[in-house]
Amino acid sequence: MNHRLAAEEIDEAFCALCEETAFLLLDPSCGPTPPPDSPALAATVAISGAMNGTITIAASLELCCTIASDMLAMDPAEIDHTTAAAALGELTNIAAGVLVGRRTDCHGVCEFSPPNGASLSEAEWEHLASNANTRGFCADEGGALLALSLET
Amino acid sequence: MSRTVLVVDDSDIIRRVVIRCLELSHVAVETILEAGNGNEALDQLAEHQVDLMLCDLHMPELDGISLLHQLAADKRLATLPVVVISSDRSEERRAELKQLGVRQFLSKPFTPESVGDAIAAHLECSP
């Protein structure tokens, strides 16, 4: 039996999470997600225990600022780079819990590492986008990528 | 009655979101204390009379599970109502937390309503 999450299931879970956490409406069916015009940020959470793997979420700085401003009920103009990166990290941490929870073959406790943040170059964005495990999403504030690797 | 809540999470963002939920809730909380890990939480608990603790699990230095073990072993703190807020939503983890005396488990993402309801339920029960 294949317990892997279908692409549509990942799309649905992540879009619902973004809407609930940050009032952010993402389109999972917008086709290729090119590198954003603004700098891109990424956050990675390592998963270990009953399941092992990683989840990486990348997004434009503008989109990260929107996520942070909605989480904190602040004006996007007041959000600095550090807060935007921290908000992306928290979103990645929560997404890890949501997606692990959807795996029906996960029996036991998983540990999540603290989010590891980084800036992404255009080439790194394109490399991540071309990964077979990566899903692309679009929003008014730019694109987002979600790469999930999860094994028992 | 003056109520004091301690929010323990290594993420400044999550602490701010939880505090905002507390401020939006219908529960009268007069003092909100913060801690970034279990050791800081123990320091706050040594200095202040806390009525309820909202606690993350995955934190550096002293994590949530280790903190809960220390509370359980401390006569003064063993009955402190604790609500855990975490991304970790496995049944096994919930069972472990229940054994450690955790009153309620809230999985992330949480809503202001769920935080407010949890606070209301357990603050009203506290002595």
Side-chain angles (χ1 to χ4, degrees), chain A residues 107-134:
Chain A
H107 305 294
V109 172
C110 285
E111 303 293 341
F112 303 131
S113 75
N116 184 18
S119 295
L120 278 194
S121 67
E122 196 172 313
E124 288 168 326
W125 178 283
E126 285 174 344
H127 180 71
L128 183 64
S130 67
N131 186 317
N133 294 324
T134 300

Side-chain angles (χ1 to χ4, degrees), chain A:
Chain A
M1 186 175 179
N2 183 7
H3 294 281
R4 286 176 183 277
L5 296 175
E8 295 76 16
E9 198 172 355
I10 295 172
D11 291 352
E12 184 272 321
F14 186 56
C15 289
L17 171 63
C18 288
E19 187 174 353
E20 186 174 350
T21 307
F23 308 110
L24 188 64
L25 298 175
L26 294 179
D27 179 3
S29 57
C30 56
T33 310
D37 295 331
S38 64
L41 302 178
T44 298
V45 168
I47 300 156
S48 59
M51 306 210 78
N52 291 283
T54 59
I55 176 171
T56 298
I57 297 177
S60 67
L61 177 59
E62 188 182 356
L63 188 53
C64 294
C65 286
T66 300
I67 292 167
S69 70
D70 286 333
M71 278 182 168
L72 297 170
M74 289 172 63
D75 188 324
E78 296 174 22
I79 303 294
D80 59 21
H81 186 285
T82 303
T83 304
L88 182 67
E90 281 314 311
L91 185 69
T92 307
N93 174 271
I94 298 170
V98 168
L99 293 171
V100 166
R102 291 208 171 205
R103 283 283 295 250
T104 55
D105 56 337
C106 181
H107 305 294
V109 172
C110 285
E111 303 293 341
F112 303 131
S113 75
N116 184 18
S119 295
L120 278 194
S121 67
E122 196 172 313
E124 288 168 326
W125 178 283
E126 285 174 344
H127 180 71
L128 183 64
S130 67
N131 186 317
N133 294 324
T134 300
R135 307 292 303 158
F137 303 86
C138 297
D140 292 343
E141 298 84 352
L145 301 173
L146 185 156
L148 177 67
S149 162
L150 204 54
E151 304 293 337
T152 50

Side-chain angles (χ1 to χ4, degrees), chain B residues 54-55 83-89 94 97 102 104-119:
Chain B
L54 290 162
C55 184
V83 174
V84 165
I85 301 179
S86 176
S87 301
D88 185 345
R89 47 179 68 198
R94 286 173 190 246
L97 293 172
V102 169
Q104 189 168 346
F105 180 91
L106 293 178
S107 59
K108 296 177 188 174
F110 52 81
T111 62
E113 292 76 20
S114 62
V115 173
D117 289 348
I119 296 292

Side-chain angles (χ1 to χ4, degrees), chain B residues 5 7-8 12 17 26 30 35 48 58 61 63 70 72 90 93 101 121 123-124:
Chain B
V5 171
V7 180
V8 189
D12 176 57
V17 172
H26 55 285
E30 290 203 350
H48 303 275
H58 302 287
E61 295 187 38
D63 64 22
Q70 293 209 24
S90 70
R93 181 71 85 193
L123 270 184
E124 282 167 10

